[in-house]
Amino acid sequence: MTTFDWKIVQISAVNGDLKSVSYLVTAKDDQHEVKSQGNADIQGKITLPFADVREADILACLREMYMQDEPKSLKSRLQEQLDYLKNDVNTDLPWQNQVFSVKF
């Protein structure tokens, strides 16, 4: 099962109105994790007065914006990346010497 952990990196506000938020989201399963960092325009999406806004309010807004079960949502893209890592694909750079190693 995949879990998604969010961290607010920075917020932007003008005259007490939230404008945007920078975030870091980490998707984890039993063996792998992938991260995505971004900036979201949240102007008008949180109607609380600035002094009353809490981290949980911003996280709820981000989850509503990005964690939908749609093919191009951030949630789907992170899950695709995790699934790709499960396939154990060789990603050696072709211009570097290839080294044989035993996998146990």
Side-chain angles (χ1 to χ4, degrees):
M1 180 175 153
T2 303
T3 60
F4 298 90
D5 298 315
W6 290 82
K7 179 180 178 184
I8 305 300
V9 178
Q10 182 178 11
I11 62 171
S12 172
V14 176
N15 297 326
D17 292 326
L18 283 172
K19 299 294 181 187
S20 64
V21 59
S22 296
Y23 62 86
L24 175 67
V25 61
T26 303
K28 298 178 188 177
D29 63 16
D30 295 335
Q31 299 176 334
H32 302 95
E33 80 176 35
V34 293
K35 297 181 180 191
S36 180
Q37 187 171 349
N39 191 48
D41 177 10
I42 60 171
Q43 185 172 3
K45 292 184 169 63
I46 298 176
T47 57
L48 297 170
F50 183 74
D52 296 336
V53 173
R54 300 292 173 251
E55 181 180 23
D57 301 318
I58 296 173
L59 293 176
C61 179
L62 290 173
R63 287 184 187 112
E64 184 177 327
M65 291 171 63
Y66 294 120
M67 300 307 286
Q68 305 303 317
D69 288 324
E70 298 173 2
K72 296 192 184 253
S73 70
L74 178 59
K75 177 183 179 183
S76 296
R77 295 299 184 187
L78 289 169
Q79 187 63 55
E80 285 175 9
Q81 292 174 28
L82 280 174
D83 293 343
Y84 182 78
L85 291 175
K86 292 177 188 177
N87 292 329
D88 196 27
V89 176
N90 182 356
T91 57
D92 294 332
L93 301 174
W95 54 87
Q96 291 182 336
N97 292 333
Q98 304 301 307
V99 178
F100 173 77
S101 62
V102 178
K103 291 187 180 183
F104 296 96

